Each structure stands twice: as structure tokens, then as C-alpha cells.
């Protein structure tokens, strides 16, 4: 089973989300046992969640791009795991390098988010870069580490069109395996329809940013992934 995860980041208005979903519903092929995950911006969560109730989209799962490190309570602006109850959220992308860089997330905060996600039955997709794989793993209790998916994303490859050399990806996967155990390994960084099969031959899944924004580009990635 492969994971194809769309991360829309802070893109898209309500109307653009609806249009994307229309195109997706119309053109998606049968993905079999593979899992396509859509991680929309929070305000679009309800539309995407409702749309995924359609029987033909039952293999597409809902993800969030972040989660509060705290439980429900007096944390203005935060979206807690409790807030997500009833929306059928299956995955949470946690510790993305943009969250670390622009919102100053620490390894411990990411670990607290992992704890919140797991306690709500949401699978964490923990993002790591070469520099801190071991430190990030060390902040997460061992019994929780093995329940994560781990996405390796080199900063130089994110949003640049310069996808990471497979050899570098595999070297980092082996560090991830030592630190996290036998977890599903995801690659992210300028994945598109031309390079996705190369990565999927060696990874359990891909995290797709730019190429997930246009529905036809994303469907081309999904189709190429399943060939
Ligand atoms: P990209 O983003 O596909 O635009 O490189 C990937 C990511 O940030 O997860």
C-alpha cells in the first residue's frame, strides 16, 4: 500500500476548494488499496470531509496540516484534536519544516502534537530533515514513535523543483529506521508526475505540495503512482 498525500498549505479560497473537489470526484480512478490523503487548510476541512462521504471517494482520507500540542481548553487560535472530532480526520502532518521555520516549533512541541494526535486516533505524519532526525525521535516516547509515519523532506527540495537524489533519500531513511523503527517512510520535496514512480519504488509514500494544487496535476501524480 502506498500513501499519496496532498498538502495544500495555505493555498485556496472556498470556491477553489469546491472546484478542485469537483474535478477530483469526476476524474479519480480506482486507487485500490492505496491511500490518497488530502490535507486542506483548516477552514476547508468541513467541505472536504463532507465530500469524502461520497462512496466513490471512500479511499481518499482526510488529513490536517497541523494540530495543537495542547488538549481542548483555553488556547486561543489553536485547533485541538477534540475540535476535529466528527470530521473523520485520519492523518496529521506534524512538524513540517515550514512550521518549524516560520512558527518556531520545537522537537518537544512536535512530540506533544504526536501525543495529541494519537490520543484522538489520528495517525501522525512526522516531518524530518537530515539535521534533526535523531533529536526529533528522542523527543517522542518509544511506544508512540512506532505508531508514526515519517516524512523525510530536505529543505532544498521543498517548493524548488529540485527533488532530492534517491541515494540521499535512502541514506536518510536508514537513519530514520534506526531512530523510529519500522515505520512507513514517506518522501517529500518537489514530487511530480514525472518523478513519483521513482520514489515510490523505494518509499511507502510521497508528500506532494506544489503538484497537489491543481487538480489535474495531482491526478497525474496519482495515476503515475499507480501505474
Ligand atoms: P513541494 O512541497 O511538493 O511543493 O516541494 C512539499 C512539502 O512541503 O511537503
Amino acid at each position: 500500500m502506498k500513501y499519496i498525500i496532498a498538502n495544500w498549505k495555505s493555498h485556496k479560497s472556498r470556491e477553489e476548494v469546491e472546484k478542485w473537489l469537483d474535478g477530483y470526484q469526476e476524474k479519480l480512478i480506482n486507487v485500490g488499496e492505496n491511500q490518497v490523503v488530502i490535507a486542506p487548510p483548516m477552514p476547508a476541512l468541513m467541505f472536504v470531509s463532507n465530500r469524502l462521504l461520497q462512496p466513490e471517494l471512500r479511499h481518499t482520507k482526510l488529513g490536517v496540516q497541523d494540530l495543537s500540542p495542547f488538549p481542548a481548553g483555553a488556547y486561543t487560535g489553536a485547533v485541538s484534536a477534540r475540535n476535529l472530532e466528527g470530521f473523520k480526520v485520519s492523518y496529521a502532518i506534524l512538524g513540517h519544516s515550514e512550521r518549524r521555520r516560520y512558527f518556531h516549533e520545537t522537537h518537544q512541541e512536535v512530540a506533544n502534537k504526536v501525543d495529541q494526535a494519537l490520543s484522538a486516533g489520528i495517525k501522525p505524519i512526522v516531518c524530518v530533515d537530515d539535521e534533526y532526525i535523531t533529536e526529533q525521535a528522542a523527543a517522542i516516547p518509544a511506544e508512540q514513535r512506532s505508531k508514526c509515519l515519517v516524512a523525510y523532506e530536505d529543505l532544498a527540495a521543498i517548493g524548488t523543483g529540485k527533488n532530492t537524489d534517491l541515494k540521499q533519500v535512502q541514506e536518510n531513511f536508514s537513519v530514520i529506521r534506526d531512530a523510529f523503527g519500522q515505520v512507513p517512510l514517506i518522501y517529500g520535496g518537489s514530487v511530480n508526475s514525472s518523478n513519483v514512480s521513482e520514489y515510490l519504488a523505494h518509499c511507502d509514500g510521497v508528500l506532494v505540495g506544489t503538484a497537489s494544487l491543481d487538480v489535474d496535476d495531482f491526478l497525474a501524480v496519482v495515476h503515475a503512482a499507480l501505474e
Side-chain angles (χ1 to χ4, degrees):
M1 182 182 90
K2 302 289 182 187
Y3 300 89
I4 304 155
I5 306 157
N7 175 8
W8 291 348
K9 308 192 178 182
S10 293
H11 296 283
K12 298 195 183 303
S13 64
R14 175 177 175 170
E15 198 186 330
E16 287 164 345
V17 169
E18 301 274 16
K19 276 205 181 122
W20 193 101
L21 291 170
D22 289 345
Y24 184 72
Q25 189 172 353
E26 192 187 319
K27 298 179 210 160
L28 182 68
I29 55 160
N30 182 353
V31 298
E33 289 313 300
N34 298 292
Q35 248 177 45
V36 180
V37 179
I38 302 175
M42 285 298 184
L45 202 71
M46 194 165 73
F47 312 127
V48 181
S49 179
N50 282 344
R51 190 67 76 101
L52 296 187
L53 295 173
Q54 304 293 322
E56 66 268 37
L57 297 184
R58 68 187 177 283
H59 289 296
T60 302
K61 303 293 174 195
L62 185 59
V64 287
Q65 301 172 17
D66 185 30
L67 187 63
S68 176
F70 300 107
Y75 304 100
T76 300
V79 176
S80 68
R82 178 73 192 277
N83 298 148
L84 300 178
E85 260 180 47
F87 288 101
K88 290 181 177 285
V89 173
S90 304
Y91 296 93
I93 299 171
L94 301 176
H96 190 282
S97 58
E98 287 152 14
R99 301 281 327 160
R100 296 179 194 255
R101 188 187 333 172
Y102 300 119
F103 301 91
H104 314 293
E105 276 182 14
T106 64
H107 302 325
Q108 188 53 54
E109 276 165 339
V110 176
N112 295 347
K113 291 174 182 208
V114 167
D115 183 50
Q116 288 300 311
L118 288 172
S119 65
I122 297 172
K123 270 241 168 232
I125 303 168
V126 177
C127 300
V128 294
D129 188 1
D130 312 41
E131 291 169 30
Y132 51 76
I133 294 169
T134 318
E135 289 91 329
Q136 180 57 79
I140 301 170
E143 72 279 8
Q144 296 191 347
R145 253 179 251 154
S146 56
K147 297 183 178 140
C148 296
L149 283 72
V150 180
Y152 167 68
E153 299 200 294
D154 182 359
L155 271 188
I158 297 180
T160 58
K162 295 182 187 139
N163 52 302
T164 312
D165 183 67
L166 196 53
K167 191 162 168 284
Q168 183 185 329
V169 175
Q170 285 175 309
E171 281 165 11
N172 281 281
F173 276 179
S174 109
V175 181
I176 293 172
R177 282 238 187 277
D178 287 346
F180 282 84
Q182 291 298 310
V183 292
L185 296 172
I186 312 291
Y187 167 74
S190 296
V191 171
N192 58 35
S193 57
S194 318
N195 60 31
V196 66
S197 10
E198 183 192 347
Y199 289 107
L200 285 182
H202 303 274
C203 312
D204 298 300
V206 286
L207 190 47
V208 189
T210 311
S212 75
L213 296 179
D214 177 277
V215 69
D216 291 319
D217 288 350
F218 185 63
L219 285 166
V221 173
V222 175
H223 293 181
L226 303 183
E227 263 166 19

